[in-house]
Amino acid sequence: MSNDLDTVFAALADPTRRAILAMLLEDDMAVTDVADPFEMSLAAISKHLIILTKAGLISQEKRGRVKWCKLEPDALRAASVWMQGFGQFEPVNLDAFERFLEVELPATDDP
Amino acid sequence: MSNDLDTVFAALADPTRRAILAMLLEDDMAVTDVADPFEMSLAAISKHLIILTKAGLISQEKRGRVKWCKLEPDALRAASVWMQGFGQFEPVNLDAFERFLEVELPATDDP
DNA sequence: CGTATATTCAACCAAATGGTTGACCAAAAC
DNA sequence: GTTTTGGTCAACCATTTGGTTGAATATACG
């Protein structure tokens, strides 16, 4: 009964995880670097990354001792289709998206 | 820190609630009728409806002693925009959506 | 070699979630 | 006016969630 929409939407329901996805939009990142801007233990971020991985929203590849996280935007496709079924929403309103990013991205204190 | 993407995505993460939304796509419904196809107490469905209402995904209006539930698809807009920021997904793939409905709608045992 | 770095694991905790039941209240029906 | 009907409330319960800490593991550095 539990399909993957469950896990995808649940993964997206947490602001920390959405912020992580937004960060990975820029570039692949190591776990430690992902954790850096958050006021939260590394272990906590590690758990969030596992949840995102299980939802298919990111993939993790270990090279040497660092584990690289890579965005997998295709995992959003099914969820997007489901939502589109309820109405035609603006296809890609980049302005609106940027606004979300500003609100959701953790404050990176380096200028 | 908690914005409404939190509540919308969290509301969508439950299969019962997604099924309810899909049912309301057809028509407005009374709470009792919404609850009917589910093997779950009326109180449980009532709670789900409250969560959907708080997320803005439905509205409820009491007329007489029956409370009518109405889909509010606009509440999905922000979440949709957010997701679209990660990639261009098929605008409206109705076939794919129908497939979700088949999987997710509770079996209505009347032919 | 020994030590530092990157990441996870395990145990624990508080709070939230999804469900139950039974009492309750308002509107309708008889 | 009594009884259904429609729906919520309150208390409770088990499980999940999001976080902590400290120990453990594996790779790299000097």
Side-chain angles (χ1 to χ4, degrees):
Chain A
M1 210 92 334
S2 137
N3 57 42
D4 55 354
L5 285 185
D6 283 36
T7 34
V8 169
F9 281 130
L12 296 180
D14 184 279
T16 302
R17 290 193 291 264
R18 285 198 309 276
I20 291 174
L21 293 178
M23 289 165 62
L24 292 175
L25 204 49
E26 304 246 6
D27 210 348
D28 298 0
M29 294 177 81
V31 172
T32 310
D33 295 334
V34 169
D36 206 47
F38 296 96
E39 290 175 343
M40 190 183 300
S41 71
L42 183 59
I45 295 294
S46 179
K47 282 190 189 177
H48 280 302
L49 291 172
I50 288 169
I51 290 173
L52 288 170
T53 303
K54 282 187 179 157
L57 291 164
I58 68 170
S59 59
Q60 295 184 284
E61 185 200 352
K62 197 165 182 177
R63 275 202 298 275
R65 68 181 160 180
V66 357
K67 202 168 192 176
W68 292 90
C69 304
K70 178 177 171 14
L71 187 64
E72 299 288 350
D74 272 16
L76 286 170
R77 173 162 285 123
S80 183
V81 168
W82 186 89
M83 291 181 45
Q84 297 277 333
F86 288 90
Q88 281 71 19
F89 305 122
E90 306 85 70
V92 210
N93 185 333
L94 256 297
D95 286 350
F97 185 56
E98 301 281 351
R99 239 173 291 130
F100 279 122
L101 294 191
E102 275 168 34
V103 172
E104 293 217 318
L105 276 176
T108 49
D109 279 348
D110 32 39
Chain B
M1 212 93 331
S2 133
N3 58 43
D4 54 353
L5 285 185
D6 282 38
T7 34
V8 168
F9 280 131
L12 296 180
D14 185 279
T16 302
R17 289 193 291 263
R18 286 199 308 276
I20 291 173
L21 292 178
M23 290 165 63
L24 292 177
L25 203 49
E26 305 246 4
D27 210 348
D28 298 0
M29 295 177 80
V31 172
T32 311
D33 295 334
V34 170
D36 206 47
F38 295 96
E39 290 176 342
M40 192 184 299
S41 70
L42 182 59
I45 296 293
S46 179
K47 283 190 190 177
H48 281 302
L49 292 172
I50 287 169
I51 291 173
L52 288 171
T53 302
K54 282 187 179 159
L57 290 163
I58 69 170
S59 58
Q60 295 184 284
E61 185 200 352
K62 198 164 183 178
R63 275 203 297 277
R65 68 179 162 183
V66 356
K67 202 169 191 175
W68 292 90
C69 304
K70 179 177 171 11
L71 188 63
E72 299 287 351
D74 272 16
L76 286 170
R77 174 162 283 125
S80 182
V81 168
W82 186 89
M83 291 180 46
Q84 298 275 335
F86 288 89
Q88 281 71 20
F89 305 123
E90 306 85 70
V92 210
N93 186 333
L94 257 297
D95 286 351
F97 184 58
E98 300 281 350
R99 238 174 290 130
F100 279 121
L101 293 191
E102 276 168 34
V103 172
E104 293 217 317
L105 276 177
T108 48
D109 279 348
D110 32 37

